Amino acid sequence: MADRRQVLRLGALAAGAPAVLGATASPALAGGHGHQPSLVVGHRGASGYRPEHTLASYELAARLGADFIEPDLVSTKDHVLVARHEPEIGGTTDVASRPEFASRKRTVLLDGISVTGWFTHDFTLAELKTLRATERIPAVRQHNTLYNGLFPVPTFQEILDLRKRLSKELDREIGVYPETKHPTYFRELGLDLETPLVQVLRRNGLDRADAKVFVQSFEAKNLQALREDYRLRAPSIFLTSATGSPFGDTTTYAEYLTPAGLRRLARYADGIGPDKSQVIPRKADDTLGEPTTLVKDAHAAGLKVMPYTFRAENAFLPADYRVGTDPAAYGRAIDEQVTFLKTGLDGLFTDQADIGVLARSAAYAHV
């Protein structure tokens, strides 16, 4: 557990100057594991405080100290990349309340699963821009419903423009961590994600090996194609799930994460983004267990490890890190992240970037 006096001291800093805390956190970490400080990735922006995948959410994450902001990318009907958690937008926009789009509701087969709703690929960008974002999990994040109806759906280019502006304003480069969502599905629609993704990165001077960019995907074949066919030079991350396999892939995620599988991944990927339970699983009673060898194995293969997703609410925490019984109340999120960071992570995804920055400082404050 993090020392409480240290956490309180750092908490005061975080409240007054998150950018300063982010800057001062680095030296302590640099000595902790002999590598670069762990990165804080603003998962869908600051989605613990604002509706996810909005410019307001991304901006807040950067201002709270996130090193990277993370947009999930899907395509519009006219082949423009926009940020939404899924192509289905009934739960993240006000489209269901718009009578002019009632006829767009339909059922599709999304990666083999029947899904009913409204889909970005049935809307032009101009039509999509008339919609407004809503909170995806209002039962847990009722506060975020304050902002329902205020923010439009952003394009990838708008996110990169925001990144550029904030990097200048905050005097530190903000990274971008885009995910291709359901690339096989979109390719079969004739709306491949790879072409516009690479084009936008290159247009913005970000398709470089040293760019502050990580392109991520749950489909290994997608990353391999980006590297080999599209000649993507920016770093890439293979996302993994605790169960199953990538869509259309006979290799399971578990097989990809064996030492041999990790060495093969290293041919076209720069790191992995596992479910955090693959780093430290939970026991049968839902308390946190012991670390696996995944971090060590991935580092042996030359891969970075940046798991998802760390959230402050009890609903998402291990049983022994919850405080009280209210699912929406905050638990011991700092302590949980400190425990994970001490396994040697290269970064972590968090919905509350300020908590990630604080945990990073607390983790190695005495190293």
Side-chain angles (χ1 to χ4, degrees), residues 202-269:
R202 288 177 180 163
R203 188 165 63 241
N204 289 271
L206 294 172
D207 186 21
R208 312 185 317 271
D210 62 344
K212 200 164 182 180
V213 173
F214 288 107
V215 175
Q216 54 178 341
S217 178
F218 276 101
E219 296 184 21
K221 293 179 181 178
N222 174 229
L223 292 182
Q224 189 170 9
L226 279 167
R227 183 64 56 87
E228 297 176 358
D229 300 333
Y230 293 83
R231 303 299 180 189
L232 178 74
R233 293 183 290 275
S236 62
I237 300 290
F238 178 51
L239 297 168
T240 69
S241 176
T243 60
S245 59
F247 180 70
D249 194 334
T250 57
T251 303
T252 66
Y253 287 117
E255 290 169 333
Y256 274 113
L257 297 187
T258 63
L262 290 165
R263 288 193 295 271
R264 287 191 292 271
L265 276 173
R267 298 171 186 169
Y268 53 85

Side-chain angles (χ1 to χ4, degrees), residues 336-354:
E336 184 209 22
Q337 292 182 35
V338 166
T339 300
F340 274 84
L341 285 166
K342 287 186 174 181
T343 66
L345 300 181
D346 300 281
L348 54 77
F349 286 69
T350 175
D351 287 3
Q352 292 95 358
D354 54 333

Side-chain angles (χ1 to χ4, degrees), residues 20-275:
V20 173
L21 177 57
T24 59
S26 297
L29 280 172
H33 291 283
H35 56 67
Q36 291 298 308
S38 299
L39 300 172
V40 173
V41 182
H43 183 241
R44 309 174 193 170
S47 52
Y49 304 128
R50 298 290 187 275
E52 65 189 32
H53 294 310
T54 59
L55 292 182
S57 182
Y58 299 130
E59 178 166 357
L60 183 57
R63 293 189 181 280
L64 290 175
D67 302 296
F68 282 76
I69 52 177
E70 188 244 0
D72 295 339
L73 299 180
V74 294
S75 181
T76 65
K77 184 177 182 179
D78 42 351
H79 213 181
V80 178
L81 295 183
V82 296
R84 288 291 88 191
H85 175 48
E86 293 286 339
E88 199 289 305
I89 55 174
T92 60
T93 72
D94 60 0
V95 66
S97 67
R98 298 294 191 91
E100 67 269 33
F101 296 128
S103 63
R104 304 281 178 96
K105 187 177 184 180
R106 65 187 180 108
T107 300
V108 306
L109 201 62
L110 180 59
D111 289 358
I113 299 173
S114 181
V115 178
T116 300
W118 291 263
F119 299 86
T120 58
H121 50 78
D122 290 331
F123 292 77
T124 65
L125 178 60
E127 290 173 327
L128 204 62
K129 281 293 188 179
T130 68
L131 303 178
R132 291 297 179 266
T134 58
E135 172 55 37
R136 186 174 60 87
I137 48 174
V140 177
R141 292 177 173 163
Q142 190 274 335
H143 170 268
N144 285 7
T145 64
L146 280 169
Y147 307 101
N148 284 353
L150 296 182
F151 308 127
V153 175
T155 66
F156 186 35
Q157 182 59 58
E158 287 172 335
I159 295 166
L160 295 183
D161 291 342
L162 174 68
R163 167 200 172 275
K164 184 176 181 180
R165 175 174 68 81
L166 289 175
S167 294
K168 183 176 181 180
E169 181 180 336
L170 300 175
D171 196 28
R172 61 184 180 87
E173 187 177 10
I174 307 300
V176 63
Y177 213 122
E179 178 186 347
T180 57
K181 297 292 289 194
H182 306 286
T184 297
Y185 172 77
F186 276 104
R187 191 177 308 112
E188 291 174 349
L189 292 174
L191 296 169
D192 76 284
L193 303 178
E194 296 88 351
T195 297
L197 170 64
V198 173
Q199 287 176 344
V200 172
L201 288 175
R202 288 177 180 163
R203 188 165 63 241
N204 289 271
L206 294 172
D207 186 21
R208 312 185 317 271
D210 62 344
K212 200 164 182 180
V213 173
F214 288 107
V215 175
Q216 54 178 341
S217 178
F218 276 101
E219 296 184 21
K221 293 179 181 178
N222 174 229
L223 292 182
Q224 189 170 9
L226 279 167
R227 183 64 56 87
E228 297 176 358
D229 300 333
Y230 293 83
R231 303 299 180 189
L232 178 74
R233 293 183 290 275
S236 62
I237 300 290
F238 178 51
L239 297 168
T240 69
S241 176
T243 60
S245 59
F247 180 70
D249 194 334
T250 57
T251 303
T252 66
Y253 287 117
E255 290 169 333
Y256 274 113
L257 297 187
T258 63
L262 290 165
R263 288 193 295 271
R264 287 191 292 271
L265 276 173
R267 298 171 186 169
Y268 53 85
D270 299 275
I272 57 172
D275 183 306

Side-chain angles (χ1 to χ4, degrees), residues 255-320:
E255 290 169 333
Y256 274 113
L257 297 187
T258 63
L262 290 165
R263 288 193 295 271
R264 287 191 292 271
L265 276 173
R267 298 171 186 169
Y268 53 85
D270 299 275
I272 57 172
D275 183 306
K276 65 181 183 179
S277 69
Q278 294 174 294
V279 175
I280 307 180
R282 297 189 190 184
K283 302 176 186 177
D285 62 358
D286 208 28
T287 60
L288 203 59
E290 295 299 319
T292 67
T293 63
L294 180 58
V295 175
K296 181 183 71 174
D297 294 342
H299 285 169
L303 296 169
K304 297 181 183 298
V305 183
M306 292 182 270
Y308 66 90
T309 304
F310 292 87
R311 298 176 166 113
E313 297 91 352
N314 282 327
F316 306 110
L317 290 167
D320 47 338

